Amino acid sequence: MSIKKKKDNSLHAPLPSLKDVIEPLIDHGFIAFCGAGISIPQPSCSPSWWTLTEEILEAFFQAIPEDYDIPSDLLLNSSERHPEEVFETFAEILDDELYPAFKALDVGSANGNHIMIAKLAKKGILKACFTTNFDIFLERALKAEGVKYKLVLDNKEYDTVFDQIKNLSPSVMQKTKNIFYLCKLHGTIDQPNTIISVASAYKSAKGFSAPKANVFETFLSHFPCLFLGYSGWDFLHLNYRRFWKRIGPKIQKIYWNLRSKDEKTPDFQEIFGEFYSKLQFLETDLPSGFLEAVNSNKIIKIGRSTMKIFSKSAGKDQLQKIKQDRFSYFQSWVQKFPESHLIGLSITQSMIFSERYQAVVQQSKEESEDTDAITYNFTDQMTVLGQKYAQKEISLEDYQQKLMQIQIDMQLAGIRNKFKPAIKETIAQNKYPGITDNMSYLPTFISYLRSFTRFFSVEESLKKSYEFVQKYKELSSQNSEDAAIEMQIQGSLANMLHPEEKYWRPYEQQMRDLKDQLLAGKITKDDFQKEMMTITTTAQNFRMGMTIDIEKLIEKQINAVVRSSNPKKFEEQMEALVITLMRMGPLWYQRFYQRQEYLALVSAISVDKEKELSPIILEGFDNLLREPFNAIFHHSYYNSGNNEILMEILILALWILGTKWLDPTGLKEYQRMWDGGELPKYSSHPSIFKYLKKNCDIWQKKAFKHLSDRFIQKFCGFLVNLSEMGNDISLCEKATLKSLELSNGVVTEATSDGIPSSLAAFYERSGDTKKALSYYLICLDAIKLTVQPLWADTIIYRAAKLMNESGNPKSALNILYQYHPAYKGNAASINMPSRKLGAKFAEALAKSLGYSSVINAIQS
């Protein structure tokens, strides 16, 4: 069952203006919370947070050389990614190179909004202004009005202010007129090190921290708050959500001015919860409506001529000039990027902003919500069925029918549920005799359907699948090399077919040209297979918006590091290379799979899992992974700074990427845990774990001591993976606790996948359910991130199960209601068996509590 959120009619009914509520604000004093919207009007002409992001992206993508082959369909203003999430990925590679970009906001001058705020502050009516803006227009306006103000930026300054005001009564604060507090929550361009622009920082001690919350809470408990030019999207971040829930009873009143009723807004009802009634929406043009509202009061009269208020038609030339000046600054800023940073961003960002990629992501999300969970239990079902037949519990006819049904269900598992009735009807009615009644061809028929239903209607898919199977039957009856090759082409073509021919027609022609070359003896069979793989991969990448050649660009990036002019630049460019490969490793890693060293490792493991692997095999594979970086290893700057540690972390990441599945026994256990709704873990050969752990022990302490947080967070993620491969709970504890220490005990966008869920699972498997639950509850915070944890479904299910086992069935049900995609949660990209198990468990909990359904339980 899915739940639609209650429509917020308060945003669609006629809204009062600021003029309608100004009297009590001026009479008793108030505080303001300002966003980018107050700086948009002339003569400030600042961009919105979204527009600023789009301008930076445009300048960046324009600077990328044509031979990098970035996608041609870039979509820079997707509403799916908030600006702070965009900057998160940029900051990973750019680090401190990112923050000079915001100096572009230092153009224009204070507008009517800034001046009005300064005038109200001067009269002692406005007690404080909290703002997320980096610009310095408010400071300039306050100085021009001669206002004595306190600029509050870092946590120490907020602590000082809190000490000054925490014991003051509302009446005393209301009478105080000699000091105005300007609280810049996200820093200022005057001090770049204070700027907070990335999503993970929003949740950290640098973001909306306890000292900032204390000051804001004190003012909110004494004065009404007027929100101006602020969208509210930041309030979806974890620390803000917790803040509003905690201080709700203390709120005096919130007046929230919308730029337009049509403006896209977050879910205010979810943000403010049971205190939503204290929120009053307004609709007033800024700054003209602001001036009109203030002047409607008898106490204050402010002349329009002093306010720098322009009509919408006036000053267009100035607006265009400021916008062009800002964009020119961004272009100049991008031109200063070190080459390795530019390449790294090109590799990691170009696909993400491709319209094709965004369409694929959206389609995958929709499919996840409408397909059955991926499961491995079909083999078990067939085993049980075979045992029943062997013990003569069922007849041969029953056995064959049930076996056929299991196989059909297994094939249908990856097809959207909305298509299944038509497909099952086609099979039941045997609409294609010789195919739909023949187990030799039915699996192939359904396999084609899985590919075609992604892009075509079920009717078209059935027709195409029939045609492809007919062709398959025809070719399989021919005993010729030509037919065998054509069958392979047909199979590849089925995975490429798309309503738009540009996604498959050129690649079909390439495959047929390749076939002609093979039949003419111009290439070998091995060359043919390699080229076929290249063609199919290229076609798939093109459909996903990945047009760049990763191998070519990584080689360029390595060369850029080697050409560094001094040790500092060498390390900076090394950092960009390492981050790039950590993010894009799975795509770059394909180069190793056919190499002799990798095949030798796989072969040795498959022969005898218990036997110690030869050091020659382990060293051989290690040397293979290091081979692309030989020029870096031999560089004179390599042994300076943190270069060696960075490279060792990268090699560890590549080792894990290629070996975390190389354990047949562990893979079976992984599948069992997956199907049972448990959190699966990676596993590998014991010799690999010992080899990697021994190497890590040499430089692990040094890494924790000397590396920046962004690398330590990633290193912790790799250590957690390694701990699973070796079943080492102490290593998992060490890595998890270090990561959470850096993020102040919460999961953020900078936290590696598997933290702290792997540790929760370790504790659960060991029987310490209390500790397990505590870490699963931390994991739940990550469910609300834009990119959810890989194991989101399982985390929700395990948290609810353990909460119920601890004697709190109501809390368990609330976890499922808040986070499960069947109710208020968002669906993760992979539908796991635990999603279905979670939904069933929610209904069972509701019934055990005496309710007919989950909805009735929650509503009561």
PDB file of all heavy atoms in Angstrom, residues 42-43 109-120 122-123 140-141 144-145 287 291 294-295 300-310:
ATOM      1  N   GLN A  42      17.397  44.125  -7.742  1.00  0.00           N
ATOM      2  CA  GLN A  42      18.420  45.138  -8.034  1.00  0.00           C
ATOM      3  C   GLN A  42      18.529  46.122  -6.863  1.00  0.00           C
ATOM      4  O   GLN A  42      17.547  46.316  -6.145  1.00  0.00           O
ATOM      5  CB  GLN A  42      18.032  45.876  -9.304  1.00  0.00           C
ATOM      6  CG  GLN A  42      17.978  44.963 -10.518  1.00  0.00           C
ATOM      7  CD  GLN A  42      17.521  45.723 -11.737  1.00  0.00           C
ATOM      8  OE1 GLN A  42      18.074  46.755 -12.077  1.00  0.00           O
ATOM      9  NE2 GLN A  42      16.502  45.221 -12.406  1.00  0.00           N
ATOM     10  N   PRO A  43      19.688  46.722  -6.685  1.00  0.00           N
ATOM     11  CA  PRO A  43      20.908  46.631  -7.497  1.00  0.00           C
ATOM     12  C   PRO A  43      21.877  45.528  -7.047  1.00  0.00           C
ATOM     13  O   PRO A  43      23.009  45.515  -7.486  1.00  0.00           O
ATOM     14  CB  PRO A  43      21.539  48.007  -7.304  1.00  0.00           C
ATOM     15  CG  PRO A  43      21.171  48.369  -5.894  1.00  0.00           C
ATOM     16  CD  PRO A  43      19.788  47.813  -5.674  1.00  0.00           C
ATOM     17  N   SER A 109      25.304  46.010  -5.226  1.00  0.00           N
ATOM     18  CA  SER A 109      25.285  46.752  -3.953  1.00  0.00           C
ATOM     19  C   SER A 109      23.991  46.419  -3.211  1.00  0.00           C
ATOM     20  O   SER A 109      23.079  45.795  -3.756  1.00  0.00           O
ATOM     21  CB  SER A 109      25.383  48.261  -4.219  1.00  0.00           C
ATOM     22  OG  SER A 109      24.339  48.691  -5.071  1.00  0.00           O
ATOM     23  N   ALA A 110      23.914  46.854  -1.963  1.00  0.00           N
ATOM     24  CA  ALA A 110      22.760  46.537  -1.124  1.00  0.00           C
ATOM     25  C   ALA A 110      21.472  47.040  -1.769  1.00  0.00           C
ATOM     26  O   ALA A 110      21.425  48.132  -2.335  1.00  0.00           O
ATOM     27  CB  ALA A 110      22.941  47.164   0.258  1.00  0.00           C
ATOM     28  N   ASN A 111      20.414  46.237  -1.674  1.00  0.00           N
ATOM     29  CA  ASN A 111      19.125  46.635  -2.244  1.00  0.00           C
ATOM     30  C   ASN A 111      18.133  47.007  -1.135  1.00  0.00           C
ATOM     31  O   ASN A 111      18.508  47.094   0.043  1.00  0.00           O
ATOM     32  CB  ASN A 111      18.572  45.524  -3.150  1.00  0.00           C
ATOM     33  CG  ASN A 111      18.237  44.245  -2.376  1.00  0.00           C
ATOM     34  OD1 ASN A 111      17.873  44.277  -1.201  1.00  0.00           O
ATOM     35  ND2 ASN A 111      18.356  43.114  -3.053  1.00  0.00           N
ATOM     36  N   GLY A 112      16.885  47.225  -1.526  1.00  0.00           N
ATOM     37  CA  GLY A 112      15.877  47.666  -0.577  1.00  0.00           C
ATOM     38  C   GLY A 112      15.672  46.715   0.589  1.00  0.00           C
ATOM     39  O   GLY A 112      15.368  47.145   1.710  1.00  0.00           O
ATOM     40  N   ASN A 113      15.803  45.421   0.352  1.00  0.00           N
ATOM     41  CA  ASN A 113      15.642  44.447   1.443  1.00  0.00           C
ATOM     42  C   ASN A 113      16.717  44.620   2.509  1.00  0.00           C
ATOM     43  O   ASN A 113      16.426  44.642   3.709  1.00  0.00           O
ATOM     44  CB  ASN A 113      15.700  43.020   0.891  1.00  0.00           C
ATOM     45  CG  ASN A 113      14.525  42.677   0.017  1.00  0.00           C
ATOM     46  OD1 ASN A 113      13.386  43.029   0.329  1.00  0.00           O
ATOM     47  ND2 ASN A 113      14.786  42.011  -1.097  1.00  0.00           N
ATOM     48  N   HIS A 114      17.959  44.756   2.073  1.00  0.00           N
ATOM     49  CA  HIS A 114      19.063  44.926   3.019  1.00  0.00           C
ATOM     50  C   HIS A 114      18.931  46.234   3.795  1.00  0.00           C
ATOM     51  O   HIS A 114      19.164  46.278   5.020  1.00  0.00           O
ATOM     52  CB  HIS A 114      20.404  44.902   2.264  1.00  0.00           C
ATOM     53  CG  HIS A 114      20.583  43.702   1.382  1.00  0.00           C
ATOM     54  ND1 HIS A 114      20.648  43.807   0.008  1.00  0.00           N
ATOM     55  CD2 HIS A 114      20.700  42.382   1.668  1.00  0.00           C
ATOM     56  CE1 HIS A 114      20.815  42.604  -0.501  1.00  0.00           C
ATOM     57  NE2 HIS A 114      20.839  41.718   0.479  1.00  0.00           N
ATOM     58  N   ILE A 115      18.542  47.272   3.058  1.00  0.00           N
ATOM     59  CA  ILE A 115      18.412  48.592   3.696  1.00  0.00           C
ATOM     60  C   ILE A 115      17.270  48.596   4.707  1.00  0.00           C
ATOM     61  O   ILE A 115      17.394  49.144   5.811  1.00  0.00           O
ATOM     62  CB  ILE A 115      18.206  49.685   2.625  1.00  0.00           C
ATOM     63  CG1 ILE A 115      19.451  49.768   1.725  1.00  0.00           C
ATOM     64  CG2 ILE A 115      17.902  51.032   3.271  1.00  0.00           C
ATOM     65  CD1 ILE A 115      19.254  50.628   0.487  1.00  0.00           C
ATOM     66  N   MET A 116      16.147  47.949   4.339  1.00  0.00           N
ATOM     67  CA  MET A 116      15.007  47.884   5.258  1.00  0.00           C
ATOM     68  C   MET A 116      15.386  47.130   6.540  1.00  0.00           C
ATOM     69  O   MET A 116      15.049  47.546   7.656  1.00  0.00           O
ATOM     70  CB  MET A 116      13.829  47.186   4.577  1.00  0.00           C
ATOM     71  CG  MET A 116      12.605  47.063   5.457  1.00  0.00           C
ATOM     72  SD  MET A 116      11.867  48.664   5.847  1.00  0.00           S
ATOM     73  CE  MET A 116      11.149  49.069   4.262  1.00  0.00           C
ATOM     74  N   ILE A 117      16.095  46.026   6.385  1.00  0.00           N
ATOM     75  CA  ILE A 117      16.546  45.260   7.549  1.00  0.00           C
ATOM     76  C   ILE A 117      17.441  46.130   8.430  1.00  0.00           C
ATOM     77  O   ILE A 117      17.312  46.140   9.668  1.00  0.00           O
ATOM     78  CB  ILE A 117      17.281  43.980   7.092  1.00  0.00           C
ATOM     79  CG1 ILE A 117      16.255  42.971   6.539  1.00  0.00           C
ATOM     80  CG2 ILE A 117      18.089  43.359   8.233  1.00  0.00           C
ATOM     81  CD1 ILE A 117      16.873  41.785   5.838  1.00  0.00           C
ATOM     82  N   ALA A 118      18.336  46.891   7.802  1.00  0.00           N
ATOM     83  CA  ALA A 118      19.241  47.768   8.564  1.00  0.00           C
ATOM     84  C   ALA A 118      18.471  48.858   9.302  1.00  0.00           C
ATOM     85  O   ALA A 118      18.768  49.178  10.466  1.00  0.00           O
ATOM     86  CB  ALA A 118      20.270  48.393   7.619  1.00  0.00           C
ATOM     87  N   LYS A 119      17.464  49.434   8.640  1.00  0.00           N
ATOM     88  CA  LYS A 119      16.685  50.507   9.276  1.00  0.00           C
ATOM     89  C   LYS A 119      15.872  49.966  10.456  1.00  0.00           C
ATOM     90  O   LYS A 119      15.750  50.619  11.504  1.00  0.00           O
ATOM     91  CB  LYS A 119      15.767  51.171   8.243  1.00  0.00           C
ATOM     92  CG  LYS A 119      16.521  52.052   7.242  1.00  0.00           C
ATOM     93  CD  LYS A 119      15.576  52.720   6.269  1.00  0.00           C
ATOM     94  CE  LYS A 119      16.325  53.614   5.277  1.00  0.00           C
ATOM     95  NZ  LYS A 119      16.966  54.786   5.936  1.00  0.00           N
ATOM     96  N   LEU A 120      15.294  48.779  10.303  1.00  0.00           N
ATOM     97  CA  LEU A 120      14.535  48.176  11.401  1.00  0.00           C
ATOM     98  C   LEU A 120      15.462  47.792  12.559  1.00  0.00           C
ATOM     99  O   LEU A 120      15.087  47.875  13.728  1.00  0.00           O
ATOM    100  CB  LEU A 120      13.778  46.939  10.897  1.00  0.00           C
ATOM    101  CG  LEU A 120      12.615  47.218   9.939  1.00  0.00           C
ATOM    102  CD1 LEU A 120      12.075  45.911   9.369  1.00  0.00           C
ATOM    103  CD2 LEU A 120      11.504  47.990  10.650  1.00  0.00           C
ATOM    104  N   LYS A 122      18.222  49.402  13.269  1.00  0.00           N
ATOM    105  CA  LYS A 122      18.630  50.671  13.888  1.00  0.00           C
ATOM    106  C   LYS A 122      17.595  51.154  14.900  1.00  0.00           C
ATOM    107  O   LYS A 122      17.934  51.726  15.943  1.00  0.00           O
ATOM    108  CB  LYS A 122      18.847  51.727  12.799  1.00  0.00           C
ATOM    109  CG  LYS A 122      19.414  53.035  13.317  1.00  0.00           C
ATOM    110  CD  LYS A 122      19.717  53.982  12.157  1.00  0.00           C
ATOM    111  CE  LYS A 122      20.370  55.258  12.656  1.00  0.00           C
ATOM    112  NZ  LYS A 122      20.706  56.173  11.532  1.00  0.00           N
ATOM    113  N   LYS A 123      16.317  50.920  14.602  1.00  0.00           N
ATOM    114  CA  LYS A 123      15.253  51.346  15.504  1.00  0.00           C
ATOM    115  C   LYS A 123      15.015  50.356  16.647  1.00  0.00           C
ATOM    116  O   LYS A 123      14.150  50.580  17.493  1.00  0.00           O
ATOM    117  CB  LYS A 123      13.964  51.559  14.720  1.00  0.00           C
ATOM    118  CG  LYS A 123      14.034  52.745  13.762  1.00  0.00           C
ATOM    119  CD  LYS A 123      12.721  52.945  13.050  1.00  0.00           C
ATOM    120  CE  LYS A 123      12.789  54.166  12.135  1.00  0.00           C
ATOM    121  NZ  LYS A 123      12.939  55.436  12.901  1.00  0.00           N
ATOM    122  N   ARG A 140      27.096  45.777   4.650  1.00  0.00           N
ATOM    123  CA  ARG A 140      27.255  47.116   4.066  1.00  0.00           C
ATOM    124  C   ARG A 140      26.082  48.018   4.423  1.00  0.00           C
ATOM    125  O   ARG A 140      26.254  49.209   4.719  1.00  0.00           O
ATOM    126  CB  ARG A 140      27.412  47.002   2.554  1.00  0.00           C
ATOM    127  CG  ARG A 140      28.758  46.412   2.130  1.00  0.00           C
ATOM    128  CD  ARG A 140      28.810  46.159   0.643  1.00  0.00           C
ATOM    129  NE  ARG A 140      30.124  45.634   0.249  1.00  0.00           N
ATOM    130  CZ  ARG A 140      30.380  45.084  -0.943  1.00  0.00           C
ATOM    131  NH1 ARG A 140      29.424  44.992  -1.847  1.00  0.00           N
ATOM    132  NH2 ARG A 140      31.589  44.630  -1.224  1.00  0.00           N
ATOM    133  N   ALA A 141      24.872  47.452   4.400  1.00  0.00           N
ATOM    134  CA  ALA A 141      23.681  48.247   4.723  1.00  0.00           C
ATOM    135  C   ALA A 141      23.691  48.656   6.197  1.00  0.00           C
ATOM    136  O   ALA A 141      23.347  49.802   6.545  1.00  0.00           O
ATOM    137  CB  ALA A 141      22.420  47.451   4.397  1.00  0.00           C
ATOM    138  N   ALA A 144      26.175  51.429   6.650  1.00  0.00           N
ATOM    139  CA  ALA A 144      25.688  52.686   6.065  1.00  0.00           C
ATOM    140  C   ALA A 144      24.659  53.360   6.969  1.00  0.00           C
ATOM    141  O   ALA A 144      24.571  54.594   7.027  1.00  0.00           O
ATOM    142  CB  ALA A 144      25.081  52.411   4.691  1.00  0.00           C
ATOM    143  N   GLU A 145      23.879  52.550   7.720  1.00  0.00           N
ATOM    144  CA  GLU A 145      22.869  53.107   8.634  1.00  0.00           C
ATOM    145  C   GLU A 145      23.449  53.417  10.008  1.00  0.00           C
ATOM    146  O   GLU A 145      22.746  53.916  10.885  1.00  0.00           O
ATOM    147  CB  GLU A 145      21.707  52.119   8.777  1.00  0.00           C
ATOM    148  CG  GLU A 145      20.837  51.989   7.547  1.00  0.00           C
ATOM    149  CD  GLU A 145      20.058  53.269   7.251  1.00  0.00           C
ATOM    150  OE1 GLU A 145      19.652  53.960   8.214  1.00  0.00           O
ATOM    151  OE2 GLU A 145      19.876  53.582   6.068  1.00  0.00           O
ATOM    152  N   PRO A 287      11.544  44.080  -2.787  1.00  0.00           N
ATOM    153  CA  PRO A 287      11.394  44.755  -1.489  1.00  0.00           C
ATOM    154  C   PRO A 287      10.203  45.704  -1.393  1.00  0.00           C
ATOM    155  O   PRO A 287       9.941  46.258  -0.331  1.00  0.00           O
ATOM    156  CB  PRO A 287      12.698  45.531  -1.375  1.00  0.00           C
ATOM    157  CG  PRO A 287      13.030  45.891  -2.786  1.00  0.00           C
ATOM    158  CD  PRO A 287      12.561  44.740  -3.641  1.00  0.00           C
ATOM    159  N   LEU A 291       8.517  47.413   2.074  1.00  0.00           N
ATOM    160  CA  LEU A 291       8.440  48.847   2.405  1.00  0.00           C
ATOM    161  C   LEU A 291       6.996  49.260   2.667  1.00  0.00           C
ATOM    162  O   LEU A 291       6.703  49.967   3.637  1.00  0.00           O
ATOM    163  CB  LEU A 291       9.016  49.675   1.263  1.00  0.00           C
ATOM    164  CG  LEU A 291       8.861  51.198   1.389  1.00  0.00           C
ATOM    165  CD1 LEU A 291       9.650  51.723   2.587  1.00  0.00           C
ATOM    166  CD2 LEU A 291       9.326  51.887   0.105  1.00  0.00           C
ATOM    167  N   VAL A 294       5.858  48.041   6.149  1.00  0.00           N
ATOM    168  CA  VAL A 294       6.428  48.804   7.265  1.00  0.00           C
ATOM    169  C   VAL A 294       5.800  50.194   7.341  1.00  0.00           C
ATOM    170  O   VAL A 294       5.463  50.696   8.428  1.00  0.00           O
ATOM    171  CB  VAL A 294       7.959  48.896   7.121  1.00  0.00           C
ATOM    172  CG1 VAL A 294       8.532  49.864   8.153  1.00  0.00           C
ATOM    173  CG2 VAL A 294       8.587  47.522   7.277  1.00  0.00           C
ATOM    174  N   ASN A 295       5.609  50.836   6.208  1.00  0.00           N
ATOM    175  CA  ASN A 295       5.038  52.190   6.190  1.00  0.00           C
ATOM    176  C   ASN A 295       3.556  52.217   6.543  1.00  0.00           C
ATOM    177  O   ASN A 295       2.986  53.281   6.822  1.00  0.00           O
ATOM    178  CB  ASN A 295       5.246  52.841   4.827  1.00  0.00           C
ATOM    179  CG  ASN A 295       6.646  53.428   4.693  1.00  0.00           C
ATOM    180  OD1 ASN A 295       7.308  53.683   5.690  1.00  0.00           O
ATOM    181  ND2 ASN A 295       7.092  53.637   3.470  1.00  0.00           N
ATOM    182  N   ILE A 300       6.485  54.010  12.131  1.00  0.00           N
ATOM    183  CA  ILE A 300       7.638  54.168  11.245  1.00  0.00           C
ATOM    184  C   ILE A 300       7.193  54.657   9.878  1.00  0.00           C
ATOM    185  O   ILE A 300       6.200  54.166   9.327  1.00  0.00           O
ATOM    186  CB  ILE A 300       8.374  52.821  11.074  1.00  0.00           C
ATOM    187  CG1 ILE A 300       8.810  52.276  12.431  1.00  0.00           C
ATOM    188  CG2 ILE A 300       9.586  52.960  10.175  1.00  0.00           C
ATOM    189  CD1 ILE A 300       9.424  50.906  12.348  1.00  0.00           C
ATOM    190  N   LYS A 301       7.948  55.581   9.323  1.00  0.00           N
ATOM    191  CA  LYS A 301       7.740  56.017   7.948  1.00  0.00           C
ATOM    192  C   LYS A 301       9.111  56.084   7.287  1.00  0.00           C
ATOM    193  O   LYS A 301      10.005  56.795   7.749  1.00  0.00           O
ATOM    194  CB  LYS A 301       7.057  57.390   7.890  1.00  0.00           C
ATOM    195  CG  LYS A 301       5.630  57.392   8.401  1.00  0.00           C
ATOM    196  CD  LYS A 301       4.713  56.545   7.534  1.00  0.00           C
ATOM    197  CE  LYS A 301       3.298  56.491   8.105  1.00  0.00           C
ATOM    198  NZ  LYS A 301       2.413  55.584   7.344  1.00  0.00           N
ATOM    199  N   ILE A 302       9.273  55.323   6.208  1.00  0.00           N
ATOM    200  CA  ILE A 302      10.559  55.284   5.505  1.00  0.00           C
ATOM    201  C   ILE A 302      10.329  55.711   4.066  1.00  0.00           C
ATOM    202  O   ILE A 302       9.456  55.171   3.369  1.00  0.00           O
ATOM    203  CB  ILE A 302      11.170  53.862   5.554  1.00  0.00           C
ATOM    204  CG1 ILE A 302      11.445  53.462   7.016  1.00  0.00           C
ATOM    205  CG2 ILE A 302      12.447  53.776   4.739  1.00  0.00           C
ATOM    206  CD1 ILE A 302      11.898  52.036   7.197  1.00  0.00           C
ATOM    207  N   GLY A 303      11.106  56.688   3.608  1.00  0.00           N
ATOM    208  CA  GLY A 303      10.938  57.191   2.247  1.00  0.00           C
ATOM    209  C   GLY A 303      11.389  56.189   1.205  1.00  0.00           C
ATOM    210  O   GLY A 303      12.423  55.535   1.361  1.00  0.00           O
ATOM    211  N   ARG A 304      10.624  56.095   0.143  1.00  0.00           N
ATOM    212  CA  ARG A 304      10.943  55.136  -0.919  1.00  0.00           C
ATOM    213  C   ARG A 304      12.251  55.503  -1.610  1.00  0.00           C
ATOM    214  O   ARG A 304      12.994  54.632  -2.055  1.00  0.00           O
ATOM    215  CB  ARG A 304       9.805  55.099  -1.938  1.00  0.00           C
ATOM    216  CG  ARG A 304       9.995  54.069  -3.044  1.00  0.00           C
ATOM    217  CD  ARG A 304       8.841  54.096  -4.051  1.00  0.00           C
ATOM    218  NE  ARG A 304       9.059  53.128  -5.116  1.00  0.00           N
ATOM    219  CZ  ARG A 304       8.583  51.890  -5.106  1.00  0.00           C
ATOM    220  NH1 ARG A 304       7.866  51.476  -4.075  1.00  0.00           N
ATOM    221  NH2 ARG A 304       8.815  51.065  -6.107  1.00  0.00           N
ATOM    222  N   SER A 305      12.567  56.782  -1.677  1.00  0.00           N
ATOM    223  CA  SER A 305      13.745  57.237  -2.416  1.00  0.00           C
ATOM    224  C   SER A 305      15.046  56.716  -1.807  1.00  0.00           C
ATOM    225  O   SER A 305      16.066  56.640  -2.490  1.00  0.00           O
ATOM    226  CB  SER A 305      13.784  58.773  -2.467  1.00  0.00           C
ATOM    227  OG  SER A 305      13.856  59.296  -1.144  1.00  0.00           O
ATOM    228  N   THR A 306      15.017  56.385  -0.512  1.00  0.00           N
ATOM    229  CA  THR A 306      16.246  55.901   0.147  1.00  0.00           C
ATOM    230  C   THR A 306      16.407  54.394   0.035  1.00  0.00           C
ATOM    231  O   THR A 306      17.411  53.843   0.484  1.00  0.00           O
ATOM    232  CB  THR A 306      16.225  56.267   1.637  1.00  0.00           C
ATOM    233  OG1 THR A 306      15.176  55.529   2.295  1.00  0.00           O
ATOM    234  CG2 THR A 306      16.019  57.749   1.839  1.00  0.00           C
ATOM    235  N   MET A 307      15.431  53.709  -0.575  1.00  0.00           N
ATOM    236  CA  MET A 307      15.389  52.256  -0.482  1.00  0.00           C
ATOM    237  C   MET A 307      15.970  51.508  -1.675  1.00  0.00           C
ATOM    238  O   MET A 307      16.042  50.281  -1.677  1.00  0.00           O
ATOM    239  CB  MET A 307      13.928  51.806  -0.271  1.00  0.00           C
ATOM    240  CG  MET A 307      13.338  52.275   1.036  1.00  0.00           C
ATOM    241  SD  MET A 307      14.266  51.645   2.442  1.00  0.00           S
ATOM    242  CE  MET A 307      13.976  49.914   2.271  1.00  0.00           C
ATOM    243  N   LYS A 308      16.359  52.222  -2.733  1.00  0.00           N
ATOM    244  CA  LYS A 308      16.906  51.572  -3.928  1.00  0.00           C
ATOM    245  C   LYS A 308      15.969  50.478  -4.451  1.00  0.00           C
ATOM    246  O   LYS A 308      16.346  49.329  -4.650  1.00  0.00           O
ATOM    247  CB  LYS A 308      18.285  50.967  -3.645  1.00  0.00           C
ATOM    248  CG  LYS A 308      19.351  51.993  -3.288  1.00  0.00           C
ATOM    249  CD  LYS A 308      20.709  51.331  -3.171  1.00  0.00           C
ATOM    250  CE  LYS A 308      21.780  52.352  -2.810  1.00  0.00           C
ATOM    251  NZ  LYS A 308      23.106  51.720  -2.655  1.00  0.00           N
ATOM    252  N   ILE A 309      14.692  50.874  -4.622  1.00  0.00           N
ATOM    253  CA  ILE A 309      13.704  49.948  -5.168  1.00  0.00           C
ATOM    254  C   ILE A 309      13.480  50.290  -6.633  1.00  0.00           C
ATOM    255  O   ILE A 309      13.180  51.424  -6.978  1.00  0.00           O
ATOM    256  CB  ILE A 309      12.373  50.036  -4.386  1.00  0.00           C
ATOM    257  CG1 ILE A 309      12.603  49.573  -2.943  1.00  0.00           C
ATOM    258  CG2 ILE A 309      11.299  49.203  -5.054  1.00  0.00           C
ATOM    259  CD1 ILE A 309      11.385  49.685  -2.064  1.00  0.00           C
ATOM    260  N   PHE A 310      13.642  49.288  -7.488  1.00  0.00           N
ATOM    261  CA  PHE A 310      13.521  49.475  -8.935  1.00  0.00           C
ATOM    262  C   PHE A 310      12.260  48.780  -9.431  1.00  0.00           C
ATOM    263  O   PHE A 310      11.853  47.744  -8.897  1.00  0.00           O
ATOM    264  CB  PHE A 310      14.723  48.861  -9.661  1.00  0.00           C
ATOM    265  CG  PHE A 310      16.034  49.538  -9.343  1.00  0.00           C
ATOM    266  CD1 PHE A 310      16.709  49.281  -8.158  1.00  0.00           C
ATOM    267  CD2 PHE A 310      16.612  50.418 -10.242  1.00  0.00           C
ATOM    268  CE1 PHE A 310      17.913  49.878  -7.867  1.00  0.00           C
ATOM    269  CE2 PHE A 310      17.815  51.035  -9.962  1.00  0.00           C
ATOM    270  CZ  PHE A 310      18.476  50.768  -8.774  1.00  0.00           C
TER     271      PHE A 310
END
